[in-house]
Each structure stands twice: as structure tokens, then as C-alpha cells.
Amino acid sequence: MNIYVLVKRTFDTEEKIVISGGNIQEDGAEFVINPYDEYAIEEAIQVRDAKGGKVTVVTISGEDAEKQLRTALAMGADEAVLINTEDDLDELDQSTAAFILAEYLKDKEADLILAGNVAIDGGTGQIGPRVADLLDINYVTTITDLEIDGTDVKIVRDIEGDSEIIETKLPLLVTAQQGLNEPRYPSLPGIMKAKKKPLEELELDDLEIDAGDLKLKVKTVEVYLPPQKNAGRILKGDIGDQVKELVQLLHSEAKVI
Amino acid sequence: MSKKVLVLGEVREGVIRNVSYEAIGAAKQIADGGEIVGLLLGDNVANLTQNLIAFGADRVVTVEHPHLKSYTSDGYSQAILAVCEQEKPEAIVFGHTSLGKDLSPKVSSRLKSGLISDVTDIEGSGDSTLFIRPIYSGKAFEKVKINEGIVFITIRPNNIAPLARDDHRTGSVSSLSVDITNLRTIIKEVVRKTTEGVDLSEAKVVIAGGRGVKSSEGFKPLQDLANLLGGAVGASRGACDADYCDYSLQIGQTGKVVTPDLYIAAGISGAIQHLAGMSNSKIIVAINKDPEANIFKVADYGIVGDLFEVIPLMIEEITSLKVGS
Ligand SMILES: Cc1cc2nc3c(=O)[nH]c(=O)nc-3n(C[C@H](O)[C@H](O)[C@H](O)COP(=O)(O)OP(=O)(O)OC[C@H]3O[C@@H](n4cnc5c(N)ncnc54)[C@H](O)[C@@H]3O)c2cc1C
Ligand SMILES: Cc1cc2nc3c(=O)[nH]c(=O)nc-3n(C[C@H](O)[C@H](O)[C@H](O)COP(=O)(O)OP(=O)(O)OC[C@H]3O[C@@H](n4cnc5c(N)ncnc54)[C@H](O)[C@@H]3O)c2cc1C
């Protein structure tokens, strides 16, 4: 099986967001593999171990994403590809990011492509379905179980808490939801091996993409922090009185009950 | 300039979801006087059209086909693209629901348009509309505009107000016949795990329990309070991991994102991954034994105490308030 995993480098979830000069401050922040992409990588490794084949992880990012790709290799992926757009592009939106990924994938004859269902920073969840559409293959989002038998695929899909049992066929793109598996931690031997695994770096030129042709369809005009909440009111006194006061506040001040 | 806007009415179990009425509200603002066309897809939806009109659609188009009974991205996108071909909308609005998230990128890809997902607020109208959406799990926001092509957005439930329902409104209804073929996904079965009643992502009141609830029976008083307030019960991952409740209730970074008017967190410590799913709620109440718990930092009102004492007292107090009014 020829398996590809789309991986995004994102802010560590614990990281505080600071804005300076109109942009999110990245200096000094910890970066991780987007948590949903860890499920995708784990699933890809399990499928490969069961069916044979090769797992390639792909990201569009800058130089710094080598760290996340090495982590994916240490988990057990076989090869990594960094599409480095640092020199060519200042900005990227979902349609251009998906276009670049699809241009890379179009002649790879992938049987299975896995992605996260959403990136916890950008948070649109568009990339998976967009890439599948550009490649003209089927996709199933937010999956929690995957069984492959030949080219037949059986999937459990999470739809807002309910489960859909789905049948479809390879080639296919799926996006991972929590519950799909328990992503492994890279082992020490895994980390050692990862240093020697192939990591290919490509630029838009290598994909025969002209940066000038990549027109942004959406544009961010401002990034800002949510208004600081005033410190909440911790009620005091006898529990019975606190509850009375709370219900009054919710009723007359907040007007939510 | 005014815009013609297409709004997808999402039907679930024979009922149009609330978020679709909110989508009409959003469409009104983008339209700036332009026409709003409601769209209903399914195997039997003709009886629902008046709802969209009552909430502000000027006109409704239906596409009915046996293959549209259950949602599939192939089936729905074929129907929508045929409608776009006929109607030539300048803007499209879906709900940012499971269906909307799955379908919108495909339709957008086909239309070669941009797509702004998970919009929580709209500024301006017509050509100068700006869309606000949370990024970094609600820790920041961005204002986005469409740079080129049609305006296509999905809106987060519970954030944009619908227009008031007006059953006197009238509008024309037409149906379009579309050949739906080549569905690559076959849905064998849907296993319902969510409880009947109020949908968690659309609920105006959410009562959420954490590890502090201690057992599945412990959720009973929370459910009672939710029933009393017409709300839904949610949970932290701590509670789901401990098997006190189903994962379908999980709120947070890897669960549902909710923005109710009232969020009550009982026995939840307030981990950053939990806050990611609820911090944009309008009013947050925290009930926790530990005065140092992080949840108090985001709460509007807090009670330091035992939830098993506080929740039953709240039920009593609210019941008497309701009887009194
Ligand atoms: C040089 C550069 C400049 C950028 N500038 C901007 C900017 O100005 N504004 C802005 O909003 N964003 C910017 N980005 C981020 C870029 O827009 C996103 O990578 C992309 O649009 C994905 O959108 P999303 O976060 O909504 O992902 P989602 O669609 O939510 O991601 C879903 C899944 O798609 C896959 N995926 C997502 N992104 C990538 C990726 N980059 N590589 C491989 N797989 C991926 C992952 O599997 C992920 O789990 C920039 C990125 C780069 C490299
Ligand atoms: C990648 C990743 C993703 C995650 N995604 C999510 C997510 O989507 N959602 C989520 O919720 N978590 C998520 N988590 C887990 C998160 O970090 C916390 O572990 C989890 O939220 C803790 O749940 P809790 O608050 O119920 O439990 P605890 O942290 O154990 O807190 C229990 C609280 O209950 C209080 N308490 C105990 N008894 C009582 C009582 N009788 N009355 C009142 N208070 C009482 C205690 O004081 C304590 O504050 C994620 C973690 C990771 C690493």
C-alpha cells in the first residue's frame, strides 16, 4: 500500500498566544505535530504494518518543520517530504495549500491518504476534502475506525457524536478524529533510526508551480485576542445563600435563565 | 452592491436545524438587499419550505431524489452544483456542522472559490463584508475577507442571530430535478449515541460534568438541571475517559466546540484543552471544590463547593423561580 499522511506543524496547545505587529508571535513558542495528524500517522503505520507498503509524511511549511517530520519518522513513517514555501510565498490560504499538496500527490498513485480532521490553529478542516477533490478521489472525514480488505474499505465515521458505518473503496482520503487509535510515542531506537530516514525538501519550482499563479481567495485583514474577561465573581457565604445569589444573578444580571 | 445569497437548509430527522435559520440571518447581512434563496435537499423535503421563508428566505429551491435521503458528499455536491449553475449565487452560507464541514470544502473546490469556515460574527455588508472567526482554538480571532470570487462561508451554531419567525411571509417554491449518480460512499447504518432532545452544539444552556462527577449516576442531577433549563449535558474528557459518559458528550479541543448563552462546569478543573471547546460561551459558571481550579479564571460566576450539594440546590431554586414568575 502506498500511504501518504498530510501533516501540519502547529503551536503547542498549551502555548499562550501573543500578538505583536498584527501577527501571532511565533518566536520562542513550542511547536508540535497537529494533534489530529498524530492519529493519522499512527493509523498509517498500523495499516502499513498489516498490509505492507510505505508511509510518506508530507507538509507544507518552512525549514523549521523538519523537527515535526523527524518526529513522524521516529514514530515509524518511512519517508518525509517538506514542501518549503518560505522563499516563494508570504501567505497561503486553504485553496492554495490544497492545490500545492494535490500537485505533489497527483502522480504518486496513493492508495490511501490520511490527514487530520482539523488543524488546531487555522481550524477550517478544509484541506483534506479539498485535496481529495483536486485528486478526484473519494474522502471520508472524522473517522474513528478503518478496516481495509483488498480495495474494500469499511469505516466508522463520527457525526457529532453519532456513528455512521460506511463502505467505500480505495483510493481514498480520510481525516482522523479522536478515538481512531492511541498515537505511539517515538521510541529511542525510533528516534535514532529517524535521523537516517529520507527527508526530501522541495520548493514550488520542483512541483512546476509558479508562485505568481497562486492567487489567494481569502485574506486575513486582522488578527486579535478575545476581549479580556473581567475576573469572575466567586460567591461567598453559606452554600444555600450562594446558590440563591447565583440563580438571581443568572436571572436578573446575566439574563440567561 | 447587493448580493444574491444561497442558504442550505440542513434537515435532520425531518426537521430543519436551527443553524440554518441563523444562516439566513447571516445571509441577510451579506445580501445587503439582495435576494435570499433557501435550498433544501432530501428525498422528501417539500413540506419544509415554508420554514425557510418564515425565517427570511425570499424563495426556496428543492432538489428531491432517493439518493439524497442520507447525506453523502457526492450526492449533495452534485445537487448543489446544479442549483448553483441555475441560480448563479454570489454568496453561499452553510452551517458549520458535521455536514457543513464535510461538504463545503468540496463544493468550494468545485466552484474554485475561497471558503471562510466557522464564522462567529459578521461586520459590514455587501462587497465590504468582513467575517470573524476563532483561530488557535478560540485563543485568538481573525477578520477575513473574500479576496476573489464568490463569498462562501460556514457559520458556527449559536453565534449569529436568526431573524424573528414570521409566518405571514410568503415566497415562491420551485423544484429542480438533478440526476444523482455514482455515489462512492455507501452508508450502511447510523448508530445514534446522542441522547434525544437538545443538540449539544446548538444548545443555549450546557451543563457539563467532569471527573468530579465521579460516576455515570453522578450525571443524573446534571441531566435534571439541563432538562429544567431546556439545555443539554456535556462533559470533559476526564469524565469520558473514566467512562462516566459517552465520548459524544466531550467538549474541548478534541471534542465539540460549544458557545451557549450559559455554560455550567461542574467538577471540571479547566484544562486548556477543555477551555478550547467552551471559553467563548457567553456566561460561564464554575462549581468546583478546589478554589484554585483553573476553571474559575474563565468563569463569570463561581461557587467553591461540592457539586452534589450545589446542583440540587440550584434545581430547587430555579424551580421556585419558575413557579414564582
Ligand atoms: C509560508 C506560510 C504562510 C502562511 N500564511 C498564512 C496566512 O497568512 N494566513 C493563514 O490563515 N494561514 C497561513 N498559513 C497556514 C496555511 O494557510 C495553512 O497551512 C493551510 O491553509 C491549512 O489551513 P487550516 O489551518 O485551516 O488547516 P485544516 O484544513 O484545518 O487542516 C486539516 C488537515 O489538513 C492537513 N494540513 C493542513 N495544513 C497543512 C500543511 N500546511 N501541510 C500539510 N498538511 C496540512 C493536516 O492533516 C491537517 O490536520 C501559512 C502557511 C505557510 C507555510
Ligand atoms: C491532545 C489533548 C487533547 C485533549 N482534549 C480534551 C478535550 O477535548 N476536552 C477535555 O475536556 N479535555 C481534553 N484533554 C484532557 C485535559 O488535558 C484534561 O485532562 C481534562 O480536561 C481533565 O478533565 P476534568 O477537568 O474532568 O478532570 P480533573 O482535571 O481531574 O478535574 C476534576 C475537578 O473536579 C473537582 N471536583 C472533584 N470532586 C468534586 C465535587 N464533588 N464537587 C465539585 N468539584 C469537584 C476537582 O477539584 C477538580 O478540579 C486533552 C488532552 C490532550 C493532551
Side-chain angles (χ1 to χ4, degrees):
Chain A
M1 288 254 284
N2 195 10
I3 307 168
Y4 286 83
V5 188
L6 310 181
V7 175
K8 189 178 187 189
R9 169 183 185 261
T10 56
F11 260 67
D12 190 342
T13 32
E14 309 274 350
E15 208 65 49
K16 196 169 182 284
I17 303 296
V18 178
I19 291 176
S20 73
N23 290 310
I24 307 255
Q25 190 65 49
E26 298 201 344
D27 296 347
E30 275 296 319
F31 283 83
V32 293
I33 295 175
N34 181 42
Y36 290 101
D37 304 357
E38 292 185 347
Y39 299 115
I41 297 165
E42 175 64 36
E43 198 65 18
I45 294 168
Q46 290 186 16
V47 171
R48 179 207 57 200
D49 288 349
K51 312 273 168 196
K54 190 176 82 175
V55 173
T56 308
V57 290
V58 187
T59 193
I60 309 176
S61 196
E63 202 72 55
D64 294 338
E66 180 172 342
K67 182 156 173 245
Q68 284 70 40
L69 291 177
R70 290 282 173 210
T71 304
L73 293 171
M75 285 173 75
D78 301 290
E79 293 182 11
V81 176
L82 170 61
I83 304 175
N84 189 341
T85 52
E86 238 163 10
D87 295 339
D88 295 324
L89 299 173
D90 292 330
E91 285 178 307
L92 211 59
D93 65 2
Q94 286 74 25
S95 60
T96 46
F99 175 77
I100 295 169
L101 289 167
E103 283 298 298
Y104 167 76
L105 288 162
K106 69 180 181 194
D107 55 4
K108 299 292 184 290
E109 294 183 350
D111 299 299
L112 180 66
I113 303 173
L114 300 102
N117 88 73
V118 69
I120 58 166
D121 50 1
T124 69
Q126 294 181 20
I127 297 296
R130 276 186 183 276
V131 169
D133 186 65
L134 291 168
L135 296 172
D136 204 14
I137 62 172
N138 194 22
Y139 65 90
V140 182
T141 56
T142 56
I143 72 162
T144 55
D145 194 52
L146 176 70
E147 268 175 57
I148 299 175
D149 182 6
T151 58
D152 291 335
V153 185
K154 209 173 151 194
I155 286 174
V156 180
R157 168 168 187 250
D158 170 57
I159 37 168
E160 297 177 13
D162 295 332
S163 298
E164 227 173 40
I165 318 291
I166 284 177
E167 286 178 6
T168 184
K169 290 202 178 293
L170 299 179
L172 180 71
L173 184 147
V174 293
T175 75
Q177 170 68 308
Q178 183 198 5
L180 180 59
N181 52 44
E182 272 303 319
R184 70 193 70 190
Y185 290 102
S187 65
L188 201 57
I191 294 169
M192 297 312 289
K193 268 200 238 158
K195 292 184 177 156
K196 295 193 205 87
K197 288 183 179 174
L199 191 154
E200 185 184 14
E201 195 173 322
L202 300 173
E203 295 200 8
L204 293 185
D205 258 359
D206 302 310
L207 299 172
E208 290 170 26
I209 297 172
D210 183 349
D213 291 344
L214 294 177
K215 290 205 77 182
L216 293 190
K217 299 275 173 36
V218 299
K219 189 147 179 55
T220 301
V221 292
E222 192 185 338
V223 177
Y224 60 96
L225 298 178
Q228 271 272 303
K229 262 197 149 173
N230 292 328
R233 185 157 5 149
I234 306 291
L235 305 179
K236 296 261 174 335
D238 173 73
I239 282 286
D241 294 338
Q242 287 193 34
V243 170
K244 274 202 175 65
E245 189 185 352
L246 174 66
V247 170
Q248 273 313 318
L249 287 167
L250 293 177
H251 182 63
S252 341
E253 187 179 273
K255 297 194 168 56
V256 287
I257 60 173
Chain B
M1 243 199 8
S2 67
K3 287 191 188 299
K4 177 173 179 178
V5 190
L6 184 69
V7 178
L8 176 66
E10 187 177 333
V11 181
R12 195 173 55 178
E13 315 215 340
V15 183
I16 297 178
R17 296 184 70 169
N18 234 340
V19 67
S20 304
Y21 301 134
E22 296 167 354
I24 296 174
K28 264 278 187 264
Q29 187 166 347
I30 300 164
D32 197 15
E35 187 183 37
I36 295 178
V37 181
L39 170 61
L40 288 172
L41 310 176
D43 65 336
N44 179 16
V45 290
N47 58 325
L48 297 172
T49 51
Q50 180 55 31
N51 293 300
L52 292 182
I53 291 166
F55 274 99
D58 297 305
R59 204 151 61 71
V60 177
V61 178
T62 62
V63 181
E64 293 188 315
H65 194 287
H67 284 168
L68 297 175
K69 182 172 167 41
S70 308
Y71 165 76
T72 57
S73 57
D74 281 334
Y76 268 50
S77 60
Q78 287 170 38
I80 289 175
L81 290 167
V83 171
C84 286
E85 185 65 34
Q86 173 182 286
E87 297 290 338
K88 307 256 183 311
E90 294 157 289
I92 304 177
V93 186
F94 291 0
H96 195 66
T97 57
S98 185
L99 185 155
K101 289 179 217 178
D102 191 78
L103 176 65
S104 57
K106 183 179 174 84
V107 173
S108 169
S109 177
R110 281 294 142 112
L111 294 172
K112 304 209 181 314
S113 77
L115 170 63
I116 303 177
S117 303
D118 202 18
V119 169
T120 55
D121 205 359
I122 300 178
E123 277 179 10
S125 62
D127 286 331
S128 49
T129 315
L130 290 177
F131 300 94
I132 292 163
R133 59 184 301 276
I135 50 175
Y136 296 85
S137 311
K139 285 190 269 187
F141 285 86
E142 63 174 354
K143 256 183 214 175
V144 193
K145 66 170 187 187
I146 290 284
N147 211 23
E148 187 190 281
I150 64 167
V151 174
F152 193 173
I153 67 166
T154 64
I155 62 159
R156 179 182 288 197
N158 256 344
N159 283 270
I160 293 169
L163 308 180
R165 182 180 183 113
D166 177 358
D167 284 309
H168 299 296
R169 285 182 55 108
T170 54
S172 66
V173 175
S174 58
S175 73
L176 181 67
S177 104
V178 182
D179 197 16
I180 309 285
T181 58
N182 188 25
L183 301 188
R184 292 172 293 185
T185 292
I186 300 159
I187 297 162
K188 284 302 206 194
E189 194 189 339
V190 178
V191 185
R192 298 253 171 245
K193 291 198 219 149
T194 42
T195 43
E196 296 299 306
V198 186
D199 178 71
L200 184 53
S201 48
E202 290 188 276
K204 298 283 180 209
V205 175
V206 173
I207 317 292
R211 225 190 300 264
V213 171
K214 294 197 179 68
S215 66
S216 49
E217 298 78 58
F219 268 94
K220 172 81 173 51
L222 275 63
Q223 184 68 57
D224 291 343
L225 181 56
N227 292 348
L228 184 62
L229 295 171
V233 168
S236 70
R237 176 152 137 191
C240 301
D241 283 345
D243 227 1
Y244 303 161
C245 61
D246 193 82
Y247 279 103
S248 61
L249 300 188
Q250 184 183 318
I251 290 166
Q253 182 190 296
T254 41
K256 291 199 168 93
V257 177
V258 298
T259 39
D261 293 341
L262 174 61
Y263 188 91
I264 300 181
I268 293 178
S269 60
I272 187 98
Q273 295 90 355
H274 186 75
L275 303 188
M278 47 66 73
S279 65
N280 299 132
S281 302
K282 273 147 228 138
I283 295 289
I284 297 170
V285 173
I287 303 164
N288 198 302
K289 281 206 295 206
D290 175 8
E292 303 296 319
N294 196 48
I295 191 76
F296 287 118
K297 295 205 181 108
V298 297
D300 298 277
Y301 308 111
I303 291 187
V304 179
D306 183 345
L307 72 97
F308 293 108
E309 196 180 338
V310 174
I311 303 265
L313 285 172
M314 283 184 76
I315 293 175
E316 249 175 62
E317 199 59 39
I318 294 168
T319 308
S320 62
L321 178 83
K322 292 206 166 180
V323 172
S325 64

